[in-house]
Amino acid sequence: GAVVSQHPSWVICKSGTSVKIECRSLDFQATTMFWYRQFPKQSLMLMATSNEGSKATYEQGVEKDKFLINHASLTLSTLTVTSAHPEDSSFYICSAPLFVNEQFFGPGTRLTVL
Amino acid sequence: KQEVTQIPAALSVPEGENLVLNCSFTDSAIYNLQWFRQDPGKGLTSLLLIQSSQREQTSGRLNASLDKSSGRSTLYIAASQPGDSATYLCAVAHLGQLTFGSGTQLTVLP
């Protein structure tokens, strides 16, 4: 149990386009999901907390208009990178808690912006 | 603000050696601490989770300890194998959020 999936696993796009990444909890419901970003050779940094039925909470320094988060249902959260630029190229990972203070992670999405 | 530090940043050992990875955190008010493994270009694999009330957890060749009062955790890997080569991350949980360390990149040489 407690499986989290992400789609796509990798994506390459041109600068200026938008990219949508999906995060799904497959066998449990999650009113909250977390989005992380990981640059090469660095650790995971929390970008935002996705809340079902309400607005996402963004960490300091993360542009909410650039990284649009929609928690459409109890099993799906989406992250849309709008007007992507090469500096947005990164590894994006989502997670969902099954228990308080225990998160289960998706396999990640590698975004490359040309 | 919670800060998590892992040392060393990289470690290379010959196969069969026992090794210890270190993790320290600045705020001892944590709910749990978790060790993850990350292979290149991949997501996270949870290895061990230690609740704040626990001192250690074991799984196979892995043993993780937690000293909450001193803000430290160690991950002990016995009889290392080349397949153990990966980046190991520790993360502490507080108020539903995780704070990650920067990781230790482990290479086990055959």
Side-chain angles (χ1 to χ4, degrees):
Chain A
V3 178
V4 177
S5 69
Q6 279 185 244
H7 178 79
S9 56
W10 60 270
V11 57
I12 301 173
C13 69
K14 293 183 178 180
S15 184
T17 60
S18 295
V19 174
K20 179 185 285 188
I21 303 170
E22 293 185 349
C23 177
R24 293 181 185 272
S25 56
L26 297 185
D27 49 3
F28 65 102
Q29 294 182 333
T31 57
T32 300
M33 292 184 178
F34 301 93
W35 287 97
Y36 296 83
R37 180 167 53 183
Q38 185 180 33
F39 291 107
K41 302 291 186 182
Q42 296 186 25
S43 191
L44 279 73
M45 296 299 294
L46 180 65
M47 297 176 64
T49 302
S50 172
N51 303 298
E52 191 270 336
S54 64
K55 292 182 179 180
T57 305
Y58 291 82
E59 295 300 301
Q60 191 173 8
V62 178
E63 300 175 56
K64 63 180 181 180
D65 295 329
K66 180 170 185 61
F67 298 98
L68 301 180
I69 292 174
N70 181 26
H71 201 130
S73 73
L74 289 172
T75 59
L76 173 64
S77 175
T78 61
L79 168 68
T80 301
V81 183
T82 62
S83 186
H85 291 282
E87 58 265 29
D88 298 322
S89 298
S90 187
F91 193 55
Y92 292 86
I93 305 178
C94 72
S95 72
L98 176 59
F99 309 108
V100 175
N101 291 301
E102 185 174 358
Q103 297 178 23
F104 293 85
F105 287 81
T109 297
R110 171 74 60 194
L111 170 63
T112 302
V113 184
L114 302 176
Chain B
K1 181 182 176 184
Q2 180 75 269
E3 292 183 4
V4 181
T5 304
Q6 289 186 247
I7 53 172
L11 180 64
S12 183
V13 299
E15 181 177 6
E17 200 163 287
N18 302 325
L19 57 101
V20 174
L21 307 181
N22 297 290
C23 173
S24 61
F25 46 95
T26 54
D27 188 344
S28 62
I30 65 171
Y31 284 92
N32 60 50
L33 183 145
Q34 199 164 357
W35 283 93
F36 295 90
R37 168 186 173 138
Q38 185 176 32
D39 293 288
K42 302 293 185 182
L44 303 179
T45 300
S46 178
L47 298 174
L48 290 165
L49 183 149
I50 312 176
Q51 301 292 350
S52 62
S53 59
Q54 297 176 321
R55 298 283 294 183
E56 66 177 341
Q57 281 285 342
T58 299
S59 176
R61 294 183 293 108
L62 305 179
N63 177 277
S65 68
L66 173 64
D67 185 342
K68 201 173 76 163
S69 60
S70 67
R72 295 180 182 179
S73 176
T74 60
L75 178 65
Y76 174 82
I77 302 177
S80 59
Q81 303 171 357
D84 294 331
S85 298
T87 296
Y88 291 80
L89 297 164
C90 72
V92 296
H94 179 60
L95 297 178
Q97 289 197 351
L98 287 180
T99 303
F100 282 85
S102 52
T104 293
Q105 185 174 355
L106 172 65
T107 302
V108 181
L109 304 170

